[in-house]
Amino acid sequence: MSHVRYSRRMAVDRDQVLRSAAALLTRKSTATMDEVAKAAGISRATLHRQFAGRDALVRALEALCIAECEAALAAARPDEGPATDAVRRLVAHIEPNAPLIAFLYTENQLFEGEEQNEGWARIDERVAALFTRGQAGGEFRIDLTPAWLTEALYGLLASAAWAVAEGRVAPKDFTHMIVELLLGGVLRQDDPAPRKES
Amino acid sequence: MSHVRYSRRMAVDRDQVLRSAAALLTRKSTATMDEVAKAAGISRATLHRQFAGRDALVRALEALCIAECEAALAAARPDEGPATDAVRRLVAHIEPNAPLIAFLYTENQLFEGEEQNEGWARIDERVAALFTRGQAGGEFRIDLTPAWLTEALYGLLASAAWAVAEGRVAPKDFTHMIVELLLGGVLRQDDPAPRKES
DNA sequence: CGCACATGAGACATTGATGTCTCATGCAAG
DNA sequence: CTTGCATGAGACATCAATGTCTCATGTGCG
């Protein structure tokens, strides 16, 4: 399906390597370049020719993740219809990338001082905008900041991905668990009189 | 204030070392033994005499965190009163440990195959029991499993700790953000559609 | 066929952290 | 004072991962 030729011969399918690296690293975040290479079915030398180093590999994974998240964001049409439904669509579309997000989420802690890819800022902005829209439209409560809700969404995605990987929750419940908790919370809404404010 | 003597002389205050190690590692999770030692104001040799290695240090931090979480759990009296209030108390009491929990949460990913401290299982059990109680009592919705809720609570704690550390949210909102999102979710409960009579 | 070139295999140096060791120092107890 | 002992400083070996390099190989292409 893909006919990528760089000069004359087909080089290693870079995208394929990235995919398998993602699959491995989401399971074993400390995998060495050697293991990544083996998992991709190539030699360490070739892996190193494609990605200057582990750092570059992670950056490439980050770029891949950002691209897919932006695609998911676009597919979710966050500006259309009720914000509630938009959130559902967003989570549903992002779900496949949750493991990779979880990996990068923890990996970013290690980068310490280094500047992070501005792609995340763009995504954060759009997600936060969705929450803001929901608040402005009266669908969402206004005492939780969009920044926190965005942050919490990432956290829930990562937690869920981790919990699924550990076998603590069923994969099929993934979207439902996140969306329902995020939107509705733990409380039953019908029976008891919900109160708020203090 | 503390007069701990191990043999004849005061050895380094082990607990003090642990605290400063926690403070450092929650900020820079990749800090070396050297940095940890410096942060604690002792030499690497002494640090190494107290904790056989980085691994042992992390394990000790884990034990400390577990102990404090169990103390928080006890102080929150999860079996008394409405489950809703118990959750509020729990989060409030656990809050000080959130950064350490976040650190260990990500650190655990690295441990890969190794068995994890059974202390977490005990805590998980009790937290899950609280959610179960809330469900049984009709306070909480029943379509989200206690296991997932427990997992989600950890995730939110970690996310919030991280967000605070990054300066993206105000520290004073910590408990409120977590509790309100976990309990009530994002949706406004009063105004719009959902049929509820108050 | 013969060339070009990407690849695989592996040697090698480098780096950073770790763990171990020794020794001098300082301090408190006897 | 003298002794015992924990400490600080640092040398040192080790280890794992990384990055770089060379070389043989195989295969597509002209």
Side-chain angles (χ1 to χ4, degrees):
Chain A
M1 49 175 67
S2 57
H3 359 253
V4 189
R5 54 180 53 212
Y6 295 110
S7 55
R8 294 172 50 197
R9 279 167 190 69
M10 255 265 295
V12 162
D13 187 340
R14 185 188 144 105
D15 201 65
Q16 203 60 29
V17 174
L18 267 186
R19 301 286 174 181
S20 68
L24 174 60
L25 287 172
T26 54
R27 276 182 290 116
K28 181 174 164 53
S29 62
T30 57
T32 68
M33 294 293 274
D34 226 352
E35 297 174 287
V36 171
K38 276 193 179 58
I42 62 178
S43 72
R44 196 164 68 94
T46 301
L47 175 61
H48 208 272
R49 281 174 195 122
Q50 296 279 330
F51 305 98
R54 187 196 176 75
D55 205 59
L57 176 61
V58 173
R59 300 304 182 134
L61 281 173
E62 192 174 31
L64 172 66
C65 188
I66 287 174
E68 302 219 329
C69 283
E70 288 187 321
L73 207 39
R77 303 188 312 281
D79 297 325
E80 297 181 19
T84 301
D85 296 336
V87 168
R88 292 182 196 277
R89 290 194 302 268
L90 178 58
V91 173
H93 280 95
I94 278 192
E95 170 174 354
N97 303 301
L100 188 51
I101 290 176
F103 164 70
L104 293 170
Y105 194 69
T106 67
E107 197 76 3
N108 269 346
Q109 325 259 23
L110 315 187
F111 278 176
E112 245 335 90
E114 317 181 25
E115 76 298 335
Q116 67 171 7
N117 193 313
E118 83 287 348
W120 291 124
R122 284 201 308 272
I123 294 174
D124 286 3
E125 195 179 354
R126 297 180 61 184
V127 174
L130 168 56
F131 287 119
T132 300
R133 182 169 77 86
Q135 290 179 330
E139 287 181 82
F140 296 166
R141 57 199 291 184
I142 60 171
D143 60 331
L144 298 176
T145 69
W148 159 239
L149 294 176
T150 304
E151 214 52 55
L153 173 57
Y154 292 149
L156 289 177
L157 282 168
S159 295
W162 208 82
V164 167
E166 294 287 310
R168 282 200 281 271
V169 301
K172 72 174 187 58
D173 296 333
F174 189 92
T175 297
H176 179 263
M177 290 187 314
I178 293 178
V179 165
E180 289 306 314
L181 181 57
L182 182 64
L183 290 178
V186 175
L187 293 181
R188 285 187 63 178
Q189 307 300 356
D190 33 75
D191 215 34
R195 44 153 268 88
K196 61 177 304 248
E197 189 38 42
S198 60
Chain B
M1 49 172 68
S2 58
H3 354 254
V4 189
R5 51 180 58 213
Y6 295 110
S7 55
R8 294 172 48 199
R9 278 167 190 71
M10 255 263 297
V12 161
D13 188 341
R14 187 188 143 105
D15 202 65
Q16 204 60 28
V17 174
L18 266 185
R19 302 285 173 182
S20 68
L24 174 60
L25 287 172
T26 54
R27 276 181 291 116
K28 180 174 163 56
S29 62
T30 58
T32 68
M33 294 293 274
D34 226 354
E35 296 174 288
V36 171
K38 277 193 178 59
I42 62 178
S43 73
R44 196 163 69 95
T46 301
L47 174 61
H48 207 271
R49 281 174 196 121
Q50 297 278 330
F51 306 98
R54 186 196 177 76
D55 205 60
L57 176 62
V58 173
R59 299 304 182 132
L61 281 173
E62 192 174 32
L64 172 66
C65 187
I66 287 174
E68 303 218 328
C69 283
E70 288 186 322
L73 207 39
R77 306 186 311 282
D79 298 326
E80 297 180 19
T84 301
D85 296 335
V87 168
R88 293 182 196 276
R89 290 194 302 267
L90 179 58
V91 173
H93 280 94
I94 278 192
E95 170 175 353
N97 302 302
L100 188 51
I101 290 177
F103 164 70
L104 294 169
Y105 195 70
T106 66
E107 199 75 3
N108 270 346
Q109 325 257 29
L110 315 186
F111 277 179
E112 247 330 92
E114 315 179 26
E115 75 299 334
Q116 67 170 6
N117 194 313
E118 83 288 346
W120 292 124
R122 286 201 306 272
I123 294 174
D124 286 3
E125 196 179 353
R126 296 179 62 185
V127 173
L130 168 57
F131 287 119
T132 301
R133 181 169 78 86
Q135 291 179 329
E139 288 180 81
F140 296 165
R141 56 200 291 184
I142 60 172
D143 61 330
L144 298 175
T145 69
W148 159 238
L149 294 176
T150 303
E151 216 49 57
L153 173 57
Y154 293 149
L156 289 177
L157 282 168
S159 295
W162 209 82
V164 167
E166 294 286 311
R168 281 199 281 271
V169 302
K172 72 174 187 57
D173 296 334
F174 189 92
T175 298
H176 179 261
M177 290 187 315
I178 293 178
V179 165
E180 289 305 315
L181 180 57
L182 181 64
L183 291 179
V186 175
L187 293 181
R188 284 187 65 177
Q189 309 299 354
D190 35 74
D191 207 39
R195 64 120 210 315
K196 75 111 211 291
E197 50 94 333
S198 61

